[in-house]
Amino acid sequence: MSVSAQLLLNSLQIGAVYVLFAMGLTIIFGVMRIVNFAHGEFFTLCALIIAVSMPWLVEGGLPLWAAYGLSFVFGLGAVTLLSLVIFRFGFMKFQRDMIGSFILSIGLVLLLQGVYLDVFGGIPRVVPPVVEGTYSIMGAAITAQRLLLCAIALVITIALYWMLTHTKLGKGLRAIAEDHEAAMLQGIPYRRITLYGFLIGSLLAAIAGGLIAPVSVPSPVIGADYLIKGFIAVIIGGLGSISGAILGSALIAVIDSVGGYYFDPSTATIAMFVLVMLVLIVRPRGILGHA
Amino acid sequence: MTYKWTRRGFGLIAMAALSTTALSIPAAFADEVITIGISAPMSGAAATWGLGMEYTAKEAAKAINDAGGITVDGKKYTFNVIAYDNKYNAAEGSKVAQTLLSRDNAQFVIGVGTAPVKALQSLTERKGVLLFSTAWGRDIKGPKFPLTFTQINTPNEVLVLLYPLVKGQNPNIKTVALLNPNDATGKEVTQAAKENWEKLGVEIVSTDWYERGATEFQPIAAKIAALKPDVVDLGASPAAEGGLVLKELDVIGWKGVKVIGAGTSGEAVVKVAGPAAEQTYMGLAADYDGPEATEVQHALNKGARDVIREPLNVVQMGGYDAIMALKAGIEKANSVDPKKVAEALPTAIIDTSYGKSVFGGMEIYGSPQQLQLPVIVTQVKDGKAVELKRVIPAELQKRLSSN
């Protein structure tokens, strides 16, 4: 095993999920100026739905990949529905209200975790890998499932970047994130674009949850770990900045990987918080954040 | 007419209500209900422990209630079990302790997890409440805590048997890497593991911690694999987290002896780790479907598969045994006063799920607060936890033969 190659590969795998999660968090902050602490619950819901529906579909005769794909669609559908309800009856009334949205999202975390516990039970579930096998890259080991995860995360990140820079919706999202009043004066439909931004952000969390399901153990509280790290990533990178979310996620993935290797996972987590404190002291808006 | 009807109607309803209340008074006072509170993890990676314990405790209470309850001084008592999620941490453990003791007025409680149990114990001993615990901490019981009893085997009973067996079957092992959750349970197990491995001349090459609920274990697996230890001991890691570590170690290509000292569920570890769980030794896993299990354990295990969709493990079975110990203690004391029950417990013979048992362990803990149960060492073979060794404590044999 080549240590540096293994650490690099580990960082890539870990970072791939954080990137999707953090981009969702940062898009929602960008367009609505709220920090959605319930973001992890979208992640959890998709992972749990896959964990529950996939065995049914496999038992029903579907091949593993088709069952995974279909249950992923169920998960995304459920998250879309949930985020529509939360947006319409919750965050829409608390846009650009940091305190109100903070209280609302913390309440939602408690409510949704309770609902998930009731509906899915507390026992961690297992999703079988869709692709089997382990590959060796430059002396480092990686499973085919994690390679697939990295590839999908990369494609989605590129597609999102392209959407934000080349499409009307992307430009609208960026304009609102930059200055929502000026954007409205230019005729950009603020409400609609904000809703789309919220939906895209939630779906990114759901995709991350769906991708992690076969390599982890989905439980009703699995989102908590990703929320903390995703939040650290966007603070380091700069709230509201897509490039910042990518950079922040890469940084915490490296800390997770290198710190976990040379020290232990607990020390790596502490190191992430130390980095956040340093960034907040030196550059409060984050490395790539705007004033 | 309407007025008259309404007045008469109200009168009739009031009379009916009064007569119902009057009739129900004797029934309500015929039985006294003893509330038993459970503080256990019901969510997250260790959720299975709490959910299963609630199930077994309720089954034990139901069996006692169905048989007519317990009679103390001519008064009949039945058991009512209520359970709360302590999320396996001290903060939630404190909240649950307050709820159970201050709001529900529970006089008897059962706790799972060293950190939440310590939070619970700080109140139970002060408020005169009897505590049954499955916590692995050595200092959780002893003369300082006269109201605390442990109803599952702990490191002093398990590791002294497990590690020599592992070493005996793998005589070439010289080094071990320890990995545990970063909490009170993990710290206690690490300490016990270090002492017991060192006694056997096995060198500890690393002692690492992770936050309970963590989901990414590739970095620590890479570190452990690079150290090339002969043994990896995952101590108090729950099945979900322990299984993930084993899976990542397998991906990286580490092939050594796998031990989960406080490992409770072979089936759950296999479910998460798949073939990577093969040959793992566990100190707290029992096969309650197997030929060594009792009829009670067979029945409980079958029921658990329907209710929590998992087979039972040793911690979960502790719920049943705690309730049976409480019954025996109340009957022996002929009192429901927790202090009198605690005084009577060391002399009571208890019908546990394993058969008749007693509280002992005076020589180790300084007071007889440890339930004497068979120590069962298992190993995962062909995807199933198979019993390698079962030792009946000498103290138990002696006490039962003298009674």
Side-chain angles (χ1 to χ4, degrees):
Chain A
M1 178 184 76
S2 157
V3 172
S4 46
Q6 189 65 56
L7 293 183
L8 188 70
L9 217 50
N10 286 347
S11 305
L12 192 68
Q13 299 167 57
I14 297 169
V17 182
Y18 291 154
V19 164
L20 293 181
F21 192 95
M23 282 195 311
L25 206 55
T26 216
I27 285 177
I28 292 172
F29 176 82
V31 294
M32 298 178 74
R33 285 291 183 270
I34 60 162
V35 178
N36 180 18
F37 286 96
H39 197 61
E41 306 322 309
F42 299 129
F43 176 96
T44 306
L45 181 61
C46 189
L48 283 174
I49 285 180
I50 290 173
V52 170
S53 60
M54 202 173 151
W56 292 346
L57 296 170
V58 171
E59 275 172 31
L62 276 185
L64 216 53
W65 62 268
Y68 179 63
L70 197 55
S71 50
F72 212 138
V73 172
F74 292 160
L76 295 179
V79 168
T80 305
L81 206 64
L82 179 68
S83 55
L84 275 172
V85 171
I86 287 177
F87 180 85
R88 176 66 186 83
F89 299 103
F91 287 123
M92 206 175 91
K93 302 175 201 307
F94 290 96
Q95 291 182 61
R96 296 171 192 276
D97 174 359
M98 284 293 255
I99 296 171
S101 62
F102 168 78
I103 295 167
L104 175 67
S105 63
I106 292 289
L108 281 170
V109 170
L110 296 174
L111 174 72
L112 292 173
Q113 278 188 5
V115 172
Y116 295 167
L117 265 171
D118 256 14
V119 175
F120 300 102
I123 297 170
R125 293 166 182 275
V126 178
V127 175
V130 183
V131 281
E132 294 280 359
T134 302
Y135 294 101
S136 178
I137 301 170
M138 294 180 297
I142 184 169
T143 61
Q145 186 66 45
R146 282 198 186 264
L147 263 182
L148 179 70
L149 183 161
C150 293
I152 295 174
L154 184 68
V155 169
I156 289 172
T157 306
I158 292 169
L160 186 80
Y161 215 90
W162 182 84
M163 186 274 284
L164 287 171
T165 49
H166 288 80
T167 66
K168 206 174 163 185
L169 171 63
K171 286 172 185 168
L173 284 167
R174 283 165 54 215
I176 286 172
E178 196 71 37
D179 186 335
H180 75 291
E181 284 173 343
M184 280 193 281
L185 287 172
Q186 294 299 315
I188 292 171
Y190 172 71
R191 280 197 172 186
R192 197 168 5 127
I193 297 282
T194 309
L195 169 66
Y196 291 158
F198 189 79
L199 281 176
I200 292 168
S202 308
L203 285 173
L204 283 170
I207 293 168
L211 291 176
I212 205 73
V215 294
S216 192
V217 184
S219 78
V221 290
I222 190 176
D225 192 42
Y226 288 90
L227 178 75
I228 294 167
K229 289 176 181 169
F231 197 45
I232 290 173
V234 292
I235 291 176
I236 292 171
L239 265 168
S241 160
I242 292 288
S243 324
I246 296 169
L247 178 70
S249 301
L251 272 174
I252 63 158
V254 169
I255 293 173
D256 224 355
S257 175
V258 177
Y261 182 87
Y262 286 105
F263 301 99
D264 64 20
S266 285
T267 314
T269 308
I270 294 167
M272 283 175 212
F273 284 103
V274 171
L275 182 65
V276 167
M277 284 188 266
L278 286 175
V279 168
L280 286 175
I281 291 166
V282 178
R283 195 176 160 83
R285 72 185 79 114
I287 298 170
L288 298 177
H290 303 297
Chain B
M1 189 179 161
T2 311
Y3 166 74
K4 273 186 186 171
W5 186 91
T6 311
R7 205 170 58 169
R8 194 178 299 160
F10 270 122
L12 283 170
I13 291 167
M15 274 178 68
L18 278 170
S19 358
T20 312
T21 313
L23 284 171
S24 65
I25 285 170
F29 280 86
D31 285 348
E32 292 280 339
V33 176
I34 296 172
T35 299
I36 303 151
I38 296 180
S39 167
M42 307 240 172
S43 58
T48 180
W49 291 343
L51 296 168
M53 173 166 281
E54 183 185 11
Y55 166 75
T56 62
K58 284 187 170 168
E59 284 298 302
K62 186 175 176 294
I64 292 166
N65 295 345
D66 289 350
I70 306 172
T71 306
V72 177
D73 261 348
K75 199 185 270 184
K76 198 167 270 187
Y77 290 86
T78 53
F79 285 156
N80 176 39
V81 177
I82 43 173
Y84 295 107
D85 183 8
N86 66 28
K87 297 190 192 296
Y88 220 88
N89 65 55
E92 290 293 326
S94 300
K95 273 199 267 179
V96 170
Q98 285 292 356
T99 308
L100 283 172
L101 272 57
S102 303
R103 194 189 71 186
D104 299 327
N105 291 317
Q107 294 294 298
F108 304 96
V109 292
I110 307 170
V112 179
T114 302
V117 163
K118 282 186 171 174
L120 188 58
Q121 191 182 43
S122 64
L123 280 181
T124 52
E125 289 289 338
R126 201 152 23 105
K127 289 195 167 188
V129 170
L130 185 62
L131 167 64
F132 289 102
S133 156
T134 62
W136 252 36
R138 178 182 289 181
D139 56 1
I140 211 92
K141 54 186 175 281
K144 277 197 299 183
F145 306 111
L147 296 173
T148 304
F149 292 82
T150 307
Q151 79 275 17
I152 66 163
N153 287 321
T154 66
N156 291 309
E157 291 78 38
V158 173
L159 299 188
V160 289
L161 185 78
L162 171 70
Y163 293 168
L165 187 139
V166 173
K167 176 90 167 114
Q169 292 193 349
N170 306 274
N172 295 328
I173 58 176
K174 288 183 178 59
T175 54
V176 59
L178 304 177
L179 177 66
N180 269 288
N182 188 16
D183 59 15
T185 307
K187 304 269 179 196
E188 295 271 5
V189 174
T190 302
Q191 188 58 34
K194 272 184 176 175
E195 285 169 17
N196 284 284
W197 280 120
E198 279 167 355
K199 266 186 213 163
L200 297 171
V202 178
E203 185 197 347
I204 316 287
V205 291
S206 68
T207 305
D208 291 303
W209 315 98
Y210 68 87
E211 297 310 313
R212 209 175 269 277
T215 47
E216 299 285 0
F217 290 99
Q218 307 100 296
I220 191 66
K223 175 188 176 177
I224 290 172
L227 290 168
K228 298 189 172 78
D230 299 321
V231 183
V232 168
D233 184 355
L234 301 177
S237 305
E241 291 155 17
L244 282 175
V245 178
L246 293 179
K247 201 157 91 172
E248 298 301 343
L249 282 169
D250 189 58
V251 168
I252 271 173
W254 177 83
K255 305 281 176 211
V257 179
K258 294 160 271 190
V259 176
I260 308 182
T264 53
S265 172
E267 192 165 318
V269 172
V270 170
K271 209 166 118 183
V272 177
E278 205 55 27
Q279 304 298 320
T280 303
Y281 291 94
M282 278 179 287
L284 274 184
D287 177 12
Y288 294 127
D289 282 333
E292 298 282 346
T294 62
E295 281 306 309
V296 171
Q297 291 174 336
H298 277 300
L300 285 170
N301 207 32
K302 189 171 175 293
R305 283 188 190 274
D306 295 337
V307 176
I308 61 168
R309 295 178 216 103
E310 293 237 344
L312 290 172
N313 62 46
V314 171
V315 173
Q316 296 163 329
M317 198 58 86
Y320 182 92
D321 293 334
I323 300 285
M324 298 315 278
L326 178 60
K327 175 184 181 279
I330 290 173
E331 284 173 343
K332 185 82 182 174
N334 196 29
S335 168
V336 289
D337 177 354
K339 285 181 184 164
K340 288 183 180 162
V341 176
E343 281 165 15
L345 265 178
T347 56
I349 303 289
I350 301 150
D351 278 319
T352 71
S353 63
Y354 297 87
K356 292 204 182 302
S357 184
V358 294
F359 275 99
M362 182 80 174
E363 280 179 20
I364 300 169
Y365 305 104
S367 60
Q369 290 167 294
Q370 172 67 45
L371 193 61
Q372 302 296 297
L373 297 172
V375 180
I376 302 161
V377 175
T378 58
Q379 189 176 26
V380 176
K381 288 181 177 175
D382 297 325
K384 269 204 79 174
V386 177
E387 278 194 26
L388 292 185
K389 195 167 184 176
R390 177 182 277 248
V391 176
I392 310 294
E395 187 179 353
L396 177 62
Q397 292 181 22
K398 198 175 152 192
R399 285 272 303 278
L400 289 180
S401 62
S402 66
N403 270 289

